[in-house]
């Protein structure tokens, strides 16, 4: 069964460093998302991406964040200068988007630890 | 105001018993979708069940069913014949509008199944 994959599974970085989180959505899906979950809290929406552009972003998704789909398969989230409060689990999700329930398939997550 | 409310932070149930996890939602959009996800201790988000606002019948998927009461704006998850492997966090989420909109999550309920 096709699935969303994410790399790395765990990333440790120092405050102020840039990180890139990578996702490979399901191949025929059209809509892509990033969510984050701070430890012990609910899952929060960051950004959605369709047709090679951002379709919606939350107030969390400030100028320090960017997304890209560089090669038609990967979908990346970049944090330019990490802060301690960026420590969280980051989930990528994708949606087929055509005659479907618009069910979002989530990847296994990347746990980001900023020290 | 909270879009999704899960009032049970934790629940403890004996194995083989049925369990109901509560979820209420708030939206003025007539088109919406309701989702339940399971998050085991390993951290991934596993899709369980979906209910569309126009669906006439309650959704069912194996041991999972969704008790959809539109007038009350509730979408409770029912797990029949609980198993030890059902122990996890459970999140209710809503998509407002029709299409590939973002999901808004509740705070989650931690379910523990006792042998």
């Amino acid at each position: 069964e096709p699935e969303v994959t994410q790399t790395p599974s765990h990333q440790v970085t120092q405050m102020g460093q840039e990180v890139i989180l990578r996702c490979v959505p399901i191949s025929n899906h059209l809509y892509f998302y990033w969510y984050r979950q701070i430890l012990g809290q609910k899952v929060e929406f960051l950004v959605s991406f369709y047709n090679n552009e951002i379709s919606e972003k939350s107030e969390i998704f400030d100028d320090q964040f960017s997304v890209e789909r560089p090669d038609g398969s990967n979908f990346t989230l970049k944090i330019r200068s990490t802060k301690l409060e960026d420590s969280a689990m980051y989930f990528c999700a994708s949606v087929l988007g055509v005659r479907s329930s618009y069910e979002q398939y989530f990847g296994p997550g990347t746990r980001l630890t900023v020290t | 105001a909270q879009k999704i409310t899960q009032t049970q932070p934790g629940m403890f149930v004996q194995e083989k018993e049925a369990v109901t996890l509560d979820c209420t939602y708030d939206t003025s959009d007539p088109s919406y979708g309701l989702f339940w996800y399971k998050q085991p201790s390993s951290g991934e988000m596993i899709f369980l069940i979906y209910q569309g606002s126009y669906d006439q019948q309650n959704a069912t998927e194996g041991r999972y069913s969704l008790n959809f009461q539109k007038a009350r704006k509730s979408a409770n998850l029912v797990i029949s014949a609980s198993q030890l492997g059902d122990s996890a966090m459970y999140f209710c989420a809503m998509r407002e509008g029709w299409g590939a909109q973002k999901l808004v999550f509740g705070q989650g309920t931690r379910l523990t199944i006792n042998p």
Side-chain angles (χ1 to χ4, degrees):
Chain A
E1 186 173 327
E3 57 184 18
V4 177
T5 59
Q6 290 185 244
T7 54
S9 57
H10 191 190
Q11 172 102 39
V12 181
T13 190
Q14 288 192 325
M15 197 167 53
Q17 295 296 305
E18 175 184 285
V19 294
I20 297 176
L21 309 183
R22 291 185 166 78
C23 168
V24 179
I26 296 173
S27 64
N28 59 341
H29 283 195
L30 302 176
Y31 297 82
F32 315 109
Y33 310 81
W34 284 100
Y35 293 85
R36 79 170 186 192
Q37 184 182 31
I38 294 170
L39 187 63
Q41 298 187 20
K42 65 180 177 181
V43 178
E44 300 173 291
F45 168 75
L46 290 178
V47 65
S48 57
F49 193 85
Y50 171 70
N51 201 25
N52 283 318
E53 60 183 29
I54 290 174
S55 46
E56 187 177 357
K57 59 184 180 179
S58 72
E59 62 273 13
I60 302 168
F61 194 88
D62 61 21
D63 291 344
Q64 292 299 314
F65 291 88
S66 61
V67 289
E68 204 175 39
R69 189 159 159 81
D71 57 13
S73 61
N74 290 286
F75 179 51
T76 62
L77 174 70
K78 183 194 291 187
I79 310 175
R80 286 191 185 80
S81 178
T82 50
K83 303 189 273 283
L84 293 176
E85 54 264 37
D86 293 327
S87 294
M89 181 78 101
Y90 288 80
F91 290 104
C92 173
S94 68
V95 168
L96 175 59
V98 179
R99 292 194 299 276
S100 73
S101 66
Y102 297 97
E103 171 195 324
Q104 294 196 12
Y105 290 84
F106 280 73
T110 292
R111 184 170 297 283
L112 176 66
T113 302
V114 182
T115 61
Chain B
Q2 294 284 342
K3 294 273 188 182
I4 294 285
T5 302
Q6 293 181 254
T7 56
Q8 306 151 312
M11 284 196 69
F12 296 84
V13 172
Q14 286 298 118
E15 192 179 7
K16 297 183 185 147
E17 288 184 352
V19 57
T20 298
L21 306 182
D22 295 342
C23 173
T24 57
Y25 59 92
D26 182 26
T27 182
S28 56
D29 198 316
S31 296
Y32 53 89
L34 297 157
F35 301 77
W36 277 92
Y37 286 85
K38 173 183 178 181
Q39 187 178 42
S41 56
S42 50
E44 72 268 32
M45 296 288 285
I46 302 167
F47 167 75
L48 295 178
I49 198 165
Y50 165 81
Q51 181 86 40
S53 60
Y54 295 116
D55 293 343
Q56 296 295 318
Q57 294 194 326
N58 287 344
T60 60
E61 289 285 349
R63 293 187 299 114
Y64 305 107
S65 60
L66 200 152
N67 184 1
F68 182 45
Q69 298 191 42
K70 199 168 181 176
R72 295 184 179 182
K73 294 189 173 179
S74 76
N76 298 340
L77 176 71
V78 180
I79 306 174
S80 64
S82 57
Q83 302 169 356
L84 295 178
D86 294 332
S87 294
M89 280 291 286
Y90 288 80
F91 290 97
C92 179
M94 177 174 65
R95 180 206 72 229
E96 288 184 286
W98 180 250
Q101 312 297 331
K102 67 178 186 286
L103 295 183
V104 176
F105 285 81
Q107 295 281 10
T109 295
R110 181 170 297 283
L111 176 63
T112 303
I113 308 299
N114 295 316

